[in-house]
């Protein structure tokens, strides 16, 4: 199995490196901007050697994984001696082509999940999206993905951007609906916690039912009375418009869904 | 403990009656429009007697619970011989006052959850919102709520409407974000399942972090490049507007959140 050097011991790196370590990949070295992060992760992966000096990176690894923030990815790479090495990054919304000035053996290894260092995660169910500059890199990355996860897919940089858009709706936007709901509950002096069972159930349903089938609420049939009455309760103009448009959109999808069943 | 007669053996009734039965409440009788539903529920609660004939309702119960669809609630009540009895309904968005033509001992017993007959549910964590016409009814309903749930609250009909609005955002609207995401994934030939780990994690985070603190994505800092690029990928005009408005709303809340921390 290829030996690894990982740049970045943050939220993603922490969990990815542990998964790779437990899958049997030799971790030759870790790099982090801070000693604290590097030490913490090193302790979890058999005391792997680490450095905070990019010029001290090992040149012996078979594969270099950059688990770095989008904004520093390119900059960090320019400071490394890794030209010509096999290099991948993990940034969902960055193109593979940013690696081309450093190597012809490039790739993207994108686990689609939101990570936090302190929160345990089951890597085996996280979908991984792979892209590679050639067949050899593809083989290495697909095998690596398959050793840590049961969900392995290939996508081009262009397709990955479309995937990222879907993730914005499914994760960022649904979270914002919770934020608006919390604001409304606060007006009643109720804590956000009272919504958690309902939120959990809504999230649980779509494991077995497509979202359009699971859809409920006044907007499905566009119950005008309820919708107008609810809209009037919203003071914030932006939220009022969101309420109107999302209701229309729910109704639009419900109608399409009905037609498709006929 | 008061003896009960429950009208409605649907999604909500099924779970509520079981919870009350296991809490020790005598179930004198069940009513359902269909023999199938009544039998199924009766079997789960010690073979409680049931009827599909409103004129055959027992007059001996201490409390009558109407777990019926909003749209048939009033109509069914007009066909019962329950004038002057203690009557509650379970409809979150219907006022308590609709009971006033039938009784002066009225109330609302509203468990805020989305129920499905076949899906088991832990009633003890479901928030119950109680309203009553007098102190005696309030006492009975608060005690009943407390025997099945650890989350008991009182709300007026007016406040309950505000609560319902919050539930529309938190449940109906977040579900619609999943539906839009599914549509976008379909363009890539990817199954909706690939988003489930991310959706679960987004839902899990807000158990310990307020939604505004948990918020991530390009809209937080209003990353204009990413936002414009993503907007261009959306063909549906309604979805494009939703993307724009929700992004603005996310950014608005992020700014307010920053100010409040200063």
């Amino acid at each position: 199995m290829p030996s690894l050097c990982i740049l970045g011991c943050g939220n993603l790196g922490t969990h990815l490196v542990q998964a790779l370590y437990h899958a049997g990949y030799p971790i030759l070295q870790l790099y982090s901007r801070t000693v604290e992060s590097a030490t913490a992760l090193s302790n979890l992966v058999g005391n792997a050697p680490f450095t905070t000096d990019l010029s001290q990176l090992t040149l012996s690894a078979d594969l270099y994984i950059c688990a770095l923030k989008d904004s520093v990815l390119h900059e960090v790479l320019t400071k490394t001696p890794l030209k010509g090495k096999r290099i991948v990054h993990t940034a969902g919304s960055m193109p593979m082509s940013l690696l081309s000035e450093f190597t012809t053996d490039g790739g993207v290894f994108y686990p689609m999940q939101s990570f936090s260092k302190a929160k345990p995660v089951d890597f085996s169910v996280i979908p991984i999206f792979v892209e590679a500059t050639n067949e050899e890199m593809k083989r290495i990355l697909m095998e690596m993905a398959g050793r840590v996860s049961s969900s392995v897919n290939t996508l081009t940089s262009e397709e990955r951007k479309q995937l990222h858009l879907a993730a914005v709706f499914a994760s960022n936007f649904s979270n914002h609906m919770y934020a608006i709901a919390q604001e409304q509950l606060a007006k009643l002096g109720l804590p956000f916690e009272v919504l958690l069972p309902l939120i959990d159930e809504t999230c649980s349903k779509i494991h077995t039912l497509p979202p359009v089938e699971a859809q409920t609420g006044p907007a499905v049939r566009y119950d005008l009375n309820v919708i107008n009455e609810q809209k009037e309760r919203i003071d914030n103009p932006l939220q009022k418009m969101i309420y109107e448009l999302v209701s229309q959109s729910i109704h639009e999808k419900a109608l399409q869904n009905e037609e498709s069943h006929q």
Side-chain angles (χ1 to χ4, degrees), chain A:
Chain A
M1 286 163 77
S3 59
L4 308 176
C5 167
I6 295 91
L7 289 75
C9 303
N11 289 322
L12 170 56
T14 294
H15 291 292
L16 177 57
V17 172
Q18 287 180 76
L20 292 169
Y21 172 71
H22 291 297
Y25 284 87
I27 313 293
L28 289 199
Q29 191 185 44
L30 303 171
Y31 160 80
S32 171
R33 215 175 21 93
T34 70
V35 170
E36 293 76 21
S37 294
T39 315
L41 182 51
S42 169
N43 289 343
L44 296 169
V45 291
N47 297 316
F50 62 84
T51 180
T52 56
D53 183 344
L54 286 167
S55 65
Q56 295 298 307
L57 282 177
T58 176
L59 297 175
S60 316
D62 293 316
L63 179 68
Y64 294 77
I65 304 176
C66 299
L68 300 162
K69 271 195 309 216
D70 293 15
S71 49
V72 304
L73 185 47
H74 185 266
E75 179 194 334
V76 167
L77 277 168
T78 55
K79 295 178 184 168
T80 67
L82 299 179
K83 259 192 166 10
K85 299 294 185 185
R86 294 193 193 92
I87 309 173
V88 302
H89 72 66
T90 59
S93 51
M94 305 288 274
M96 183 171 66
S97 56
L98 77 82
L99 297 171
S100 57
E101 72 184 81
F102 306 101
T103 182
T104 51
D105 291 319
V108 179
F109 188 93
Y110 173 51
M112 191 169 65
Q113 184 50 290
S114 165
F115 296 95
S116 305
K117 273 189 203 180
K119 198 166 184 275
V121 79
D122 178 4
F123 224 95
S124 71
V125 300
I126 297 174
I128 301 183
F129 296 89
V130 163
E131 191 184 7
T133 54
N134 54 51
E135 282 305 310
E136 173 68 359
M137 280 301 286
K138 184 175 173 185
R139 188 190 62 72
I140 292 171
L141 296 182
M142 292 290 279
E143 182 176 321
M144 198 162 82
R147 284 184 185 273
V148 297
S149 169
S150 57
S151 177
V152 182
N153 314 267
T154 53
L155 280 188
T156 62
S157 294
E158 190 56 24
E159 290 169 327
R160 206 167 48 254
K161 286 187 172 180
Q162 183 72 22
L163 174 70
H164 189 225
L165 175 61
V168 165
F169 273 92
S171 172
N172 303 151
F173 285 11
S174 63
N175 184 79
H176 185 59
M177 297 301 116
Y178 305 152
I180 293 176
Q182 176 171 37
E183 183 185 324
Q184 292 161 340
L185 284 186
K187 292 182 193 165
L188 291 170
L190 285 172
F192 180 64
E193 282 65 40
V194 303
L195 277 174
L196 290 177
L198 180 60
I199 286 171
D200 287 346
E201 179 61 18
T202 303
C203 174
S204 165
K205 269 169 91 171
I206 44 101
H207 281 256
T208 50
L209 212 53
V212 181
E213 303 284 343
Q215 191 67 60
T216 56
V220 174
R221 289 196 194 74
Y222 214 79
D223 188 334
L224 202 57
N225 286 339
V226 179
I227 286 175
N228 284 343
E229 205 241 337
Q230 290 203 327
K231 244 179 16 182
E232 254 177 73
R233 294 175 175 278
I234 305 170
D235 305 314
N236 181 311
L238 203 38
Q239 290 175 11
K240 206 194 278 274
M241 270 196 286
I242 288 168
Y243 180 93
E244 174 61 57
L245 293 180
V246 176
S247 295
Q248 283 183 31
S249 187
I250 287 174
H251 186 56
E252 181 180 90
K253 267 205 179 288
L255 289 174
Q256 288 165 2
N257 193 42
E258 262 184 50
E259 280 164 31
S260 70
H261 284 331
Q262 279 157 9

